Amino acid sequence: QVQLVESGGGSVPVGGSLRLSCKHSGGSFRSYHMGWFRQNPGNEREFIAGIRGSSGGYSTHYADSVKGRFTMTRDNAENTVFLQMNSLKPEDTAVYYCAADRHLILSSLRRPSDWDHWGQGTQVTVSS
């Protein structure tokens, strides 16, 4: 069974940086598409970034709201994905979730309901 464990959240001032990690276990990591989403109370879960598995050439995809500020990478040797977040803004405050799926097609990447596996989430707070 796939398990995802996020780490790296915390509180930072506006303009600061954080690096989130998500450790994957329970399957062939290289074949999994991986994603980052975020959510605030009362809001829908929002796609932030995705990196496809081997079948997708490890391509990366970003939400417009974070493009140029956030970078998602994967380390297949360590079964881990990272989300480097720079130039953080108050509106980036949320719980950040890691997601994994083996069979996702590109058009489904941004839909939370199409992902099979989720981590427990890690809080990111950006204060002005």
Side-chain angles (χ1 to χ4, degrees), residues 9-14 18 40 85 88-96 122-128:
S11 296
V12 293
V14 170
L18 277 176
N40 281 306
M85 305 186 295
L88 283 162
K89 305 175 181 180
E91 52 264 42
D92 294 319
T93 295
V95 178
Y96 282 69
T122 185
Q123 176 71 46
V124 171
T125 302
V126 184
S127 56
S128 55

Side-chain angles (χ1 to χ4, degrees), residues 4-24:
L4 303 172
V5 179
E6 300 105 332
S7 60
S11 296
V12 293
V14 170
S17 297
L18 277 176
R19 189 194 196 205
L20 304 184
S21 301
C22 173
K23 180 80 171 181
H24 174 285

Side-chain angles (χ1 to χ4, degrees), residues 104-118:
L104 216 58
I105 59 175
L106 184 57
S107 60
S108 296
L109 203 69
R110 298 167 190 264
R111 290 200 291 262
S113 59
D114 286 352
W115 292 77
D116 277 346
H117 308 285
W118 293 91

